[in-house]
């Protein structure tokens, strides 16, 4: 398998060299997708442009019932890289480059495994995951795809992850009454004061959910990401905006949580409550359905001889496959702690382990 690892590193070097940062997502049907097509000569390849730099490639050989999914877009590189982020290098057992860990390393492993085998296989490459814009996956799932199982690549230490949190992003707008800050009504007329009181109640509510559990995960994750509003210190704020997000357990209902957060605002203070993005939990569904799907995913991982890891707090597009009824888990090389970091890296032995397992699965 040493020569297979050499091919993985060669493919990864090529994949890292393509600028697929998202944003700005200046991604076309050429570039990285042309490269993948040329490396999968015995596959039927369909490239689809979903608009605004969202491009997908479905590569199929034979008549498989299982699809491997991996996204090719990366986050923008932060300042501080010691070398150009699109030029891969290897040092001390680490492969370093933008996207090497999240998750072009898996894409390289899939291509190398495909070329080392001849069995049925299907790969779905996408380019919009990092923007929480799942048009590639949604379009695939809306098609007559014919697949029953999905394995979604994200950094999981080469362990099958059966469960993770959902995610919801929300925009709140509070309304107040402008006036001089010396007025007696300043305490209750300010939109910013309404927002702060809402925030205190929201933090208390989240603390009250700390006893909730599912599949090794505990409590509700919550973050106020941005607060803005007002004019100046001596003017009562007529408006304020809050952007917050929460990450529920698979056993928590999104609508109930939205209702709870909305009711925390003082009467008449809330001018707008808008969910701007939602990603379901993995497994998707109510408590009974989620547990049944988790057990199905566990059985599939056992059948494929993959070690099962703990549930994770980060969100993945695996939940979209699960919601569509496919038996799904997350599986890929690397550590999520290295994703989105300066000098992002994935361990060479993780790439070897991942590729070996994909070869074994495709040969079976």
């Amino acid at each position: 398998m040493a020569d297979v690892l050499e091919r993985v590193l060669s493919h990864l070097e090529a994949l890292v060299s393509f600028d697929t940062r998202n944003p700005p997502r200046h991604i076309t049907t050429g570039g990285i997708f042309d490269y993948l097509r040329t490396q999968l000569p015995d596959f039927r390849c369909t490239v689809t442009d979903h608009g605004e730099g969202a491009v997908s490639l479905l590569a199929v050989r034979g008549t498989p019932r299982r699809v491997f999914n991996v996204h090719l877009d990366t986050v923008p590189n932060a300042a501080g890289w010691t070398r150009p982020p699109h030029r891969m290098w290897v040092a001390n057992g680490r492969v370093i480059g933008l996207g090497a860990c999240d998750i072009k390393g898996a894409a390289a492993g899939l291509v190398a495994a495909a070329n080392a085998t001849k069995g049925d296989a299907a790969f779905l490459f996408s380019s919009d995951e990092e923007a929480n814009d799942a048009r590639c996956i949604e379009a695939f799932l809306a098609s007559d795809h014919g697949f029953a199982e999905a394995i979604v690549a994200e950094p999981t230490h080469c362990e099958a992850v059966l469960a993770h949190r959902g995610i919801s992003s929300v925009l709140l707008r509070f309304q107040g009454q402008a006036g001089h800050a010396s007025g007696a009504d300043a305490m209750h007329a300010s939109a910013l004061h309404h927002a702060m009181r809402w925030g205190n109640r929201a933090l208390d509510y989240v603390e009250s959910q700390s006893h909730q559990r599912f599949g090794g995960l505990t409590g509700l994750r919550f973050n106020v990401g941005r607060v803005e509003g007002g004019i100046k210190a001596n003017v009562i704020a007529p408006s304020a905006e809050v952007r917050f997000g929460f990450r529920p357990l698979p056993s928590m209902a999104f609508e109930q949580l939205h209702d709870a957060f909305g009711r925390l605002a003082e009467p008449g203070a809330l001018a707008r409550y808008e969910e701007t993005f939602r990603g379901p939990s993995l497994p998707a569904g109510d408590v009974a359905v989620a547990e049944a799907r988790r057990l199905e995913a566990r059985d599939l991982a056992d059948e494929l001889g993959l070690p099962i890891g703990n549930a994770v707090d980060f969100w993945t597009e695996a939940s979209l496959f699960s919601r569509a009824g496919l038996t799904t888990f997350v599986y890929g090389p690397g550590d999520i702690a290295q994703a989105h970091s300066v000098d992002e890296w994935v361990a060479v032995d993780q790439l070897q382990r991942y590729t070996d397992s994909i070869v074994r699965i495709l040969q079976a």
Side-chain angles (χ1 to χ4, degrees), residues 240-287:
E241 184 175 286
V242 175
R243 292 183 179 270
F244 77 96
F246 62 86
R247 295 172 183 255
L249 302 173
S251 54
M252 293 176 168
F254 278 88
E255 297 309 327
Q256 291 179 6
L257 290 169
H258 283 301
D259 182 64
F261 283 120
R263 285 188 285 105
L264 297 176
E266 295 169 325
L270 194 57
R272 184 176 182 183
Y273 186 110
E274 177 189 354
E275 184 181 43
T276 57
F277 177 77
R278 177 185 297 192
S281 304
L282 177 72
D286 60 26
V287 176

Side-chain angles (χ1 to χ4, degrees), residues 76-252:
N77 56 288
W81 279 69
T82 57
R83 297 190 189 183
H86 290 110
R87 188 178 302 161
M88 189 195 88
W89 74 97
V90 181
N92 301 318
R94 298 177 176 182
V95 183
I96 307 159
L98 185 59
C101 177
D102 188 11
I103 181 83
K104 289 181 176 180
L110 290 175
V111 173
N115 291 325
T117 60
K118 297 187 179 299
D120 292 354
F123 308 134
L124 176 63
F125 301 96
S126 60
S127 70
D128 56 7
E129 193 271 350
E130 293 294 0
N132 288 338
D133 177 14
R135 63 182 73 184
C136 290
I137 304 304
E138 295 286 13
F140 168 78
L141 294 172
S143 70
D144 185 19
H145 56 77
F147 295 99
E149 301 167 355
I151 299 177
V152 177
E154 291 288 356
T156 66
H157 291 284
C158 291
E159 295 176 334
V161 168
L162 312 181
H164 66 60
R165 296 178 183 274
I167 185 173
S168 179
S169 299
V170 181
L171 165 64
L172 297 183
R173 287 202 174 129
F174 292 89
Q175 58 190 2
Q177 184 65 47
H180 198 284
S182 64
D185 60 344
M187 283 290 291
H188 298 284
S190 170
L192 276 172
H193 294 177
H194 292 318
M196 291 177 181
R197 293 190 185 98
W198 175 87
N200 285 331
R201 296 187 188 103
L203 291 171
D204 289 342
Y205 172 73
V206 172
E207 289 286 350
S208 75
Q209 302 300 305
S210 61
H211 65 285
Q212 302 279 6
R213 283 167 174 66
F214 183 94
L217 299 174
T218 304
L220 176 65
R221 294 289 188 268
F222 171 83
N223 181 61
V224 175
R226 184 181 180 92
V227 179
E228 58 184 343
I231 300 170
K232 54 186 299 190
N234 62 350
V235 178
I236 297 172
S239 64
E241 184 175 286
V242 175
R243 292 183 179 270
F244 77 96
F246 62 86
R247 295 172 183 255
L249 302 173
S251 54
M252 293 176 168

